[in-house]
Amino acid sequence: MAEEKRNRILAAVIINLIVLLAILAAVAIYQLVDIAVLKSRRNKLNSELNQYIEATEKLENSYEYYQSYDYLMDKAYEFGFVPGN
């Protein structure tokens, strides 16, 4: 009887360990997938950020040009103004 009880307890412990290991493996796999998805999202957002930074720099350069003397002279020539001699 004692040996039978010991075998049942041992079987219960082994089954619990197997279930625990299966749960831990599932959690680890889920975490790895989640990390991969987040890395992909981070790379996509960094790419978009770089595009916005480049667009902002282009707009800043355009804004500086529109405020410059060169732009004023280009517009003057466009409308037919020629500086007097």
Side-chain angles (χ1 to χ4, degrees), residues 34-84:
D34 197 32
I35 288 170
V37 168
L38 290 175
K39 279 184 180 179
S40 171
R41 186 171 178 211
R42 182 189 65 196
N43 291 338
K44 180 181 174 188
L45 289 174
N46 280 337
S47 172
E48 287 180 20
L49 177 64
N50 289 335
Q51 289 175 353
Y52 288 131
I53 288 171
E54 289 175 7
T56 302
E57 289 173 354
K58 287 179 184 178
L59 289 174
E60 285 175 354
N61 290 338
S62 296
Y63 179 69
E64 290 171 4
Y65 172 70
Y66 289 141
Q67 288 184 328
S68 71
Y69 179 77
D70 292 334
Y71 173 73
L72 182 64
M73 290 306 293
D74 288 344
K75 278 298 180 183
Y77 287 129
E78 183 180 321
F79 288 111
F81 174 77
V82 178

